[in-house]
Amino acid sequence: KTGKIIVPVKCITKAFISDDAHIVRRIEEIVTTSLDELMQKKTNFSGIKNTIKKVVETYVMRKTERKPLIVPVVMDIVC
């Protein structure tokens, strides 16, 4: 348990901003940065999901003036 993101963050959109690739890339960057900062402290799945929802919602609202449904999926695989 290193507290690091092993697989890059992936943003999947359905009929919302799929035609605007730079927004999707920026969302992935923002989420990665936010999670890196969050993982410096002790956190749990709930905190991770809430952080993802908050940063994505804030960014998308600012860029598109729309409020999408955000469903964060966090996977924890320990080998």
Side-chain angles (χ1 to χ4, degrees), residues 5-6 18 24 27 38-39 50 54 62 70:
I5 299 172
I6 297 171
S18 58
V24 172
I27 289 170
L38 182 67
M39 299 302 269
N50 289 337
K54 183 178 78 174
R62 192 169 22 122
I70 300 166

Side-chain angles (χ1 to χ4, degrees), residues 19-34:
D19 59 327
D20 213 347
H22 80 278
I23 290 178
V24 172
R25 281 194 309 274
R26 184 68 182 132
I27 289 170
E28 292 171 348
E29 292 169 4
I30 290 170
V31 169
T32 300
T33 301
S34 297

